[in-house]
Amino acid sequence: MYAEFKPGDRAGLGAESVCVPPRGPDLLSEVLQDLRLSNATYGRSELTAPWGIQIPFKEGVRFHFVAEGRCLMRSDGLKPVMMNEGDVVLLPHGSAHEIANDPTCATRPLAELEPALVGNGTYRLAAGGGGERSLIVCCTIGFEGPTANPLLEMLPSVIHVRRDEIRDSYIATVLGLMAEEVRTPRIGGATVMARLADIILTHIVRTWVESADAQLTGWLAAIQDPQVGRALAVIHRDPGVAWTLDSLAEIAGMSRSQFSRRFGKLLKISPTRYLALWRMRLATAWIRNNFMTVAEAASRLGYESEASFSRAFKRAMGIPRAS
């Protein structure tokens, strides 16, 4: 999405060696940069009424786009969402859900409908009773390496983008390209659809943050703050650097005491505590998902040894390190 970030690229360098991020709206981009697409499962579903599908939980961001027709989306504990042609629904947490042509339709597990695999991570599905036709794009987007990105975690369970309410001309254009691609499948279509979904995801998240600007609290308010946000950005970009309260305050352009007070007011935690917890959250995700060993995680995060990392993990999390 933005400049590539590989965890720990600068581990071991002094804080003074790290570029200070810009002020202003690009602060959010500094945090979005670690959401790098690694894979996408793409499905083209041609469905005729009556139809209903049960879709299980899958880690990643789920995405449905109605290229033609309509679709009802429902999930436990959430208000049903009726999608019309041109609408998009985003499920940022990969929630289990159902889609159907109307509320009265019975649903069946996706696996029972036997979608046809036509490539690596690509399937086509044709099902239903022969009535009104709907053409739906379904994607699950995964990211490079296990991510612990706080922005995704705080997104709502469902984001519904209605075609007639889209103000971002770029989203409208990309959705138009996606609709054209799905109506006329061509060689390389799965790759094209994955890239389009990645772009749409970025724009929807950015639009959601901008539209929620007046109600921003906590982490979102902090990353948008022109001073505290600069310090947060370098923590996320370079978690392996030996950051101190003094070096972070200098990057924020504030005195040590001013920075500490403002950081604590926005995030209800001290800067050094936030840094420690962020490192341990990253390490837990990397290790549990077999992205790297404990020793590799310790090195990437700036610890001299596995033993020093284990001690830091116990101090931060109150339990022995992940294994």
Side-chain angles (χ1 to χ4, degrees):
M1 291 186 180
Y2 258 78
E4 285 217 337
F5 161 60
K6 295 180 181 178
D9 274 353
R10 294 179 180 143
L13 294 181
E16 68 278 1
S17 301
V18 180
C19 294
V20 177
R23 296 180 182 271
D26 283 341
L27 291 172
L28 186 59
S29 299
E30 289 283 346
V31 177
L32 281 172
Q33 69 182 339
D34 68 348
L35 288 180
R36 290 166 296 149
L37 178 72
S38 65
N39 62 79
T41 301
Y42 156 63
R44 180 186 188 274
S45 298
E46 190 169 348
L47 306 161
T48 56
W51 60 269
I53 307 171
Q54 300 168 18
I55 302 175
F57 167 83
K58 187 173 182 180
E59 188 171 346
V61 177
R62 311 299 287 269
F63 174 99
H64 293 300
F65 169 56
V66 181
E68 294 179 13
R70 60 177 181 163
C71 169
L72 177 77
M73 195 286 298
R74 58 196 174 200
S75 183
D76 288 346
L78 299 174
K79 183 179 178 181
V81 175
M82 178 57 74
M83 302 172 63
N84 296 308
E85 186 171 315
D87 286 7
V88 174
V89 156
L90 208 65
L91 295 100
H93 313 302
S95 309
H97 59 286
E98 298 179 337
I99 55 174
N101 69 290
D102 70 44
T104 65
C105 288
T107 59
R108 295 173 59 192
L110 176 62
E112 286 186 10
L113 298 174
E114 299 182 344
L117 292 175
V118 293
N120 185 22
T122 305
Y123 70 87
R124 291 180 186 168
L125 175 65
E132 179 185 11
R133 176 178 181 265
S134 294
L135 185 59
I136 300 173
V137 175
C138 305
C139 291
T140 301
I141 303 170
F143 300 99
E144 184 177 332
T147 183
N149 193 283
L151 182 56
L152 285 185
E153 293 175 5
M154 67 178 55
L155 291 176
S157 298
V158 175
I159 298 177
H160 181 197
V161 180
R162 296 178 175 85
R163 179 179 65 175
D164 58 1
E165 295 178 355
I166 293 174
R167 299 292 180 263
D168 187 332
S169 61
Y170 197 88
I171 292 179
T173 299
V174 177
L175 288 174
L177 291 172
M178 179 173 278
E180 187 65 27
E181 191 71 30
V182 74
R183 289 190 188 105
T184 311
R186 299 170 60 189
I187 294 172
T191 299
V192 172
M193 295 296 284
R195 302 309 174 197
L196 293 176
D198 189 22
I199 294 167
I200 290 167
L201 168 63
T202 307
H203 279 264
I204 289 175
V205 170
R206 185 170 66 184
T207 300
W208 178 82
V209 170
E210 290 171 349
S211 66
D213 188 62
Q215 292 82 38
L216 293 182
T217 58
W219 187 88
L220 273 176
I223 199 63
Q224 296 282 66
D225 183 275
Q227 293 175 295
V228 170
R230 298 177 81 195
L232 270 181
V234 297
I235 287 173
H236 281 259
R237 187 177 62 191
D238 296 289
V241 168
W243 298 113
T244 64
L245 183 57
D246 287 335
S247 63
L248 291 171
E250 183 176 357
I251 283 172
M254 307 172 73
S255 71
R256 176 188 170 112
S257 59
Q258 286 176 325
F259 172 68
S260 186
R261 282 196 300 271
R262 186 180 296 183
F263 194 104
K265 181 178 180 180
L266 289 169
L267 288 157
K268 312 303 180 187
I269 192 173
S270 72
T272 51
R273 176 70 173 163
Y274 182 93
L275 173 61
L277 290 175
W278 176 241
R279 285 172 172 166
M280 298 312 142
R281 291 179 66 202
L282 286 175
T284 299
W286 294 340
I287 295 165
R288 286 183 177 172
N289 289 276
N290 298 316
F291 185 57
M292 63 182 67
T293 66
V294 173
E296 289 169 337
S299 177
R300 290 289 184 94
L301 293 171
Y303 294 94
E304 294 180 357
S305 66
E306 187 175 332
S308 63
F309 165 72
S310 296
R311 290 192 295 271
F313 190 98
K314 187 171 183 179
R315 284 196 305 271
M317 309 301 284
I319 55 175
R321 66 163 171 78
S323 58

